[in-house]
Amino acid sequence: MPDPREVRLIEPDERVPGALTPGMAREEAVATEGLWAGFVRMDPGMRSGWHHHADYESVIYVLTGTARIEFGPGGARAVDAVPGDFIYVPPHVVHRELNTSDEEGTAIVVRAGSGPQVVNVDSPDPAQG
């Protein structure tokens, strides 16, 4: 266990597989009691499964590809992000990611909160606002 009082360097080959959601490859770099940070890969044209992050707030920084986040009642709302954009996802918001480009999508993700980091669901609740 690393000393929590020391600065650490996490190199790419030290990342470990993160929680699974169909269609996404998450690589965990840092996980503490209230924080998660990692790297995400999405194939061209990828559409993830529906999920939420329980009590975690998520911030996504898009590096490559085009990230679309679908959410809201029945998944009818969406935001589109390109490299350099940040996306904020509040706790408990059911959503899915899509890479609408023809290149691999990559992003840095940081979450703050507690409890399970990923909760996969069948589909969004039609009443979700």
Side-chain angles (χ1 to χ4, degrees), residues 19 22 24 28 33 75 85-86 95-96 106:
M24 301 184 73
E28 179 180 290
E33 192 168 316
D85 288 344
F86 283 91
H95 62 282
R96 69 178 174 186
T106 58

PDB file of all heavy atoms in Angstrom, residues 19 22 24 28 33 75 85-86 95-96 106:
ATOM      1  N   ALA A  19     -13.850  -0.449 -13.449  1.00  0.00           N
ATOM      2  CA  ALA A  19     -15.176  -1.067 -13.487  1.00  0.00           C
ATOM      3  C   ALA A  19     -15.653  -1.192 -14.932  1.00  0.00           C
ATOM      4  O   ALA A  19     -15.389  -0.324 -15.762  1.00  0.00           O
ATOM      5  CB  ALA A  19     -16.153  -0.230 -12.672  1.00  0.00           C
ATOM      6  N   PRO A  22     -20.384  -2.178 -20.636  1.00  0.00           N
ATOM      7  CA  PRO A  22     -20.250  -2.641 -22.014  1.00  0.00           C
ATOM      8  C   PRO A  22     -19.881  -1.501 -22.966  1.00  0.00           C
ATOM      9  O   PRO A  22     -20.467  -0.426 -22.921  1.00  0.00           O
ATOM     10  CB  PRO A  22     -21.636  -3.208 -22.335  1.00  0.00           C
ATOM     11  CG  PRO A  22     -22.176  -3.628 -21.012  1.00  0.00           C
ATOM     12  CD  PRO A  22     -21.647  -2.611 -20.031  1.00  0.00           C
ATOM     13  N   MET A  24     -16.942   0.139 -23.115  1.00  0.00           N
ATOM     14  CA  MET A  24     -15.914   1.055 -22.626  1.00  0.00           C
ATOM     15  C   MET A  24     -14.778   0.283 -21.979  1.00  0.00           C
ATOM     16  O   MET A  24     -15.010  -0.722 -21.319  1.00  0.00           O
ATOM     17  CB  MET A  24     -16.492   2.009 -21.579  1.00  0.00           C
ATOM     18  CG  MET A  24     -17.618   2.851 -22.066  1.00  0.00           C
ATOM     19  SD  MET A  24     -18.156   4.002 -20.802  1.00  0.00           S
ATOM     20  CE  MET A  24     -16.806   5.141 -20.836  1.00  0.00           C
ATOM     21  N   GLU A  28      -7.940   2.390 -14.366  1.00  0.00           N
ATOM     22  CA  GLU A  28      -7.864   3.112 -13.090  1.00  0.00           C
ATOM     23  C   GLU A  28      -6.431   3.508 -12.790  1.00  0.00           C
ATOM     24  O   GLU A  28      -5.525   2.680 -12.814  1.00  0.00           O
ATOM     25  CB  GLU A  28      -8.394   2.192 -11.993  1.00  0.00           C
ATOM     26  CG  GLU A  28      -8.360   2.773 -10.617  1.00  0.00           C
ATOM     27  CD  GLU A  28      -8.907   1.783  -9.619  1.00  0.00           C
ATOM     28  OE1 GLU A  28     -10.139   1.537  -9.654  1.00  0.00           O
ATOM     29  OE2 GLU A  28      -8.104   1.249  -8.834  1.00  0.00           O
ATOM     30  N   GLU A  33     -10.695   6.586  -0.976  1.00  0.00           N
ATOM     31  CA  GLU A  33     -12.041   6.471  -0.419  1.00  0.00           C
ATOM     32  C   GLU A  33     -13.024   7.441  -1.070  1.00  0.00           C
ATOM     33  O   GLU A  33     -14.196   7.118  -1.233  1.00  0.00           O
ATOM     34  CB  GLU A  33     -12.000   6.701   1.094  1.00  0.00           C
ATOM     35  CG  GLU A  33     -13.300   6.313   1.765  1.00  0.00           C
ATOM     36  CD  GLU A  33     -13.159   6.258   3.255  1.00  0.00           C
ATOM     37  OE1 GLU A  33     -12.156   5.701   3.744  1.00  0.00           O
ATOM     38  OE2 GLU A  33     -14.056   6.781   3.938  1.00  0.00           O
ATOM     39  N   GLY A  75     -33.387   8.934 -22.130  1.00  0.00           N
ATOM     40  CA  GLY A  75     -32.128   9.135 -22.834  1.00  0.00           C
ATOM     41  C   GLY A  75     -32.234  10.095 -24.003  1.00  0.00           C
ATOM     42  O   GLY A  75     -31.404  10.082 -24.908  1.00  0.00           O
ATOM     43  N   ASP A  85     -12.676  19.739 -24.548  1.00  0.00           N
ATOM     44  CA  ASP A  85     -13.887  20.027 -23.772  1.00  0.00           C
ATOM     45  C   ASP A  85     -13.922  19.212 -22.485  1.00  0.00           C
ATOM     46  O   ASP A  85     -13.416  18.088 -22.424  1.00  0.00           O
ATOM     47  CB  ASP A  85     -15.152  19.683 -24.571  1.00  0.00           C
ATOM     48  CG  ASP A  85     -15.441  20.635 -25.706  1.00  0.00           C
ATOM     49  OD1 ASP A  85     -14.855  21.748 -25.727  1.00  0.00           O
ATOM     50  OD2 ASP A  85     -16.251  20.269 -26.575  1.00  0.00           O
ATOM     51  N   PHE A  86     -14.553  19.777 -21.468  1.00  0.00           N
ATOM     52  CA  PHE A  86     -14.875  19.080 -20.224  1.00  0.00           C
ATOM     53  C   PHE A  86     -16.369  18.758 -20.227  1.00  0.00           C
ATOM     54  O   PHE A  86     -17.171  19.550 -20.731  1.00  0.00           O
ATOM     55  CB  PHE A  86     -14.602  19.965 -19.000  1.00  0.00           C
ATOM     56  CG  PHE A  86     -13.164  20.087 -18.617  1.00  0.00           C
ATOM     57  CD1 PHE A  86     -12.389  21.112 -19.136  1.00  0.00           C
ATOM     58  CD2 PHE A  86     -12.581  19.196 -17.725  1.00  0.00           C
ATOM     59  CE1 PHE A  86     -11.060  21.254 -18.776  1.00  0.00           C
ATOM     60  CE2 PHE A  86     -11.244  19.328 -17.356  1.00  0.00           C
ATOM     61  CZ  PHE A  86     -10.491  20.359 -17.882  1.00  0.00           C
ATOM     62  N   HIS A  95     -26.795   7.597 -17.830  1.00  0.00           N
ATOM     63  CA  HIS A  95     -26.288   8.101 -19.103  1.00  0.00           C
ATOM     64  C   HIS A  95     -25.548   6.995 -19.840  1.00  0.00           C
ATOM     65  O   HIS A  95     -25.313   5.917 -19.302  1.00  0.00           O
ATOM     66  CB  HIS A  95     -25.344   9.298 -18.868  1.00  0.00           C
ATOM     67  CG  HIS A  95     -24.131   8.947 -18.079  1.00  0.00           C
ATOM     68  ND1 HIS A  95     -24.161   8.785 -16.702  1.00  0.00           N
ATOM     69  CD2 HIS A  95     -22.858   8.701 -18.446  1.00  0.00           C
ATOM     70  CE1 HIS A  95     -22.961   8.469 -16.275  1.00  0.00           C
ATOM     71  NE2 HIS A  95     -22.138   8.399 -17.318  1.00  0.00           N
ATOM     72  N   ARG A  96     -25.187   7.293 -21.080  1.00  0.00           N
ATOM     73  CA  ARG A  96     -24.277   6.430 -21.818  1.00  0.00           C
ATOM     74  C   ARG A  96     -23.396   7.307 -22.697  1.00  0.00           C
ATOM     75  O   ARG A  96     -23.783   8.418 -23.066  1.00  0.00           O
ATOM     76  CB  ARG A  96     -25.012   5.382 -22.655  1.00  0.00           C
ATOM     77  CG  ARG A  96     -25.773   5.933 -23.829  1.00  0.00           C
ATOM     78  CD  ARG A  96     -26.404   4.804 -24.607  1.00  0.00           C
ATOM     79  NE  ARG A  96     -27.266   5.313 -25.662  1.00  0.00           N
ATOM     80  CZ  ARG A  96     -28.018   4.557 -26.417  1.00  0.00           C
ATOM     81  NH1 ARG A  96     -28.043   3.253 -26.228  1.00  0.00           N
ATOM     82  NH2 ARG A  96     -28.771   5.088 -27.357  1.00  0.00           N
ATOM     83  N   THR A 106     -10.576   8.916 -26.532  1.00  0.00           N
ATOM     84  CA  THR A 106      -9.900   8.772 -25.251  1.00  0.00           C
ATOM     85  C   THR A 106     -10.269   9.953 -24.370  1.00  0.00           C
ATOM     86  O   THR A 106     -10.558  11.052 -24.861  1.00  0.00           O
ATOM     87  CB  THR A 106      -8.364   8.692 -25.402  1.00  0.00           C
ATOM     88  OG1 THR A 106      -7.889   9.863 -26.061  1.00  0.00           O
ATOM     89  CG2 THR A 106      -7.946   7.449 -26.173  1.00  0.00           C
TER      90      THR A 106
END
